Amino acid sequence: MSSSPETSSQSQSPSPPPYPSKGAVPKKKGVKKTLVDHTYHDHSLTSIRDLIPNHSRINEELFPTKLHRIISSPKYAGIIAWKSHGRAWYVVDRKRFVAEVLPRHFDHKNYASFNRSVNGWGFKRLCGEGRDRNAYYHELFLRGLPELTSAITRLRSPGKRLPE
């Protein structure tokens, strides 16, 4: 008994359809997908003296310190709040945040400007699925530990560089 050879149509895998599958999101042209390093160091038990040996006091005017004070204030609990675990925060009511918090504490009503500051100080937004989606975090920005905000530094922009 001899077996018949396979036909070419049986050995080839089916080609994908010329259109995206149902539920697929088409890629936007010109949008770069970047990866964000979400490596996290737990500083909840770290002393500010371990991070900054000659630390004397908290600078209340720095963005992270001001933001920590606002989020920790019960007055703004319905506008901006800590996540239940205290390691991330989120804007609860963006319209009220723009109308009430920004002009009082940041001298403007521009959410995009506030967001640039958040990014400029190294906060990272959680974009994945889950209960922390769209919350921001920084490993030195923890509920109940405002002194750690003194160790947060503004990110340095490489700026325009001249060709060598």
Side-chain angles (χ1 to χ4, degrees):
M1 295 185 161
S2 68
S3 61
S4 63
E6 290 184 30
T7 61
S8 61
S9 64
Q10 288 176 339
S11 63
Q12 291 179 350
S13 61
S15 62
Y19 51 86
S21 63
K22 188 174 182 178
V25 178
K27 290 184 179 180
K28 293 180 184 178
K29 290 184 180 181
V31 175
K32 259 192 210 176
K33 186 169 186 171
T34 59
L35 296 176
V36 176
D37 180 17
H38 287 285
T39 304
Y40 187 83
H41 300 87
D42 184 5
H43 289 287
S44 62
L45 301 175
T46 303
S47 164
I48 189 64
R49 301 245 184 249
D50 294 337
L51 298 171
I52 307 172
N54 298 324
H55 178 70
S56 59
R57 65 180 189 85
I58 296 173
N59 184 344
E60 294 292 332
E61 295 305 311
L62 288 179
F63 179 84
T65 306
K66 190 185 289 190
L67 182 60
H68 195 285
R69 189 176 62 248
I70 292 166
I71 297 170
S72 299
S73 171
K75 177 179 180 180
Y76 299 119
I79 302 173
I80 187 169
W82 291 103
K83 296 303 275 182
S84 60
H85 47 71
R87 295 178 183 276
W89 58 273
Y90 66 108
V91 176
V92 178
D93 186 336
R94 185 171 167 169
K95 286 182 182 179
R96 287 185 61 203
F97 182 75
V98 169
E100 298 174 34
V101 178
L102 288 181
R104 180 170 182 163
H105 297 282
F106 299 103
D107 298 326
H108 62 79
K109 285 187 172 185
N110 188 339
Y111 189 81
S113 177
F114 171 78
N115 202 40
R116 277 191 300 277
S117 293
V118 167
N119 294 327
W121 282 92
F123 288 88
K124 296 174 185 171
R125 186 169 67 119
L126 298 166
C127 298
E129 296 299 319
R131 66 184 188 141
D132 291 343
R133 184 183 165 122
N134 291 328
Y136 291 88
Y137 78 95
H138 190 289
E139 53 188 43
L140 294 171
F141 197 81
L142 305 171
R143 181 177 53 215
L145 298 171
E147 63 276 6
L148 292 181
T149 61
S150 297
I152 299 174
T153 56
R154 188 154 176 80
L155 300 179
R156 300 190 86 194
S157 172
K160 291 184 180 179
R161 297 184 183 188
L162 297 174
E164 293 179 18

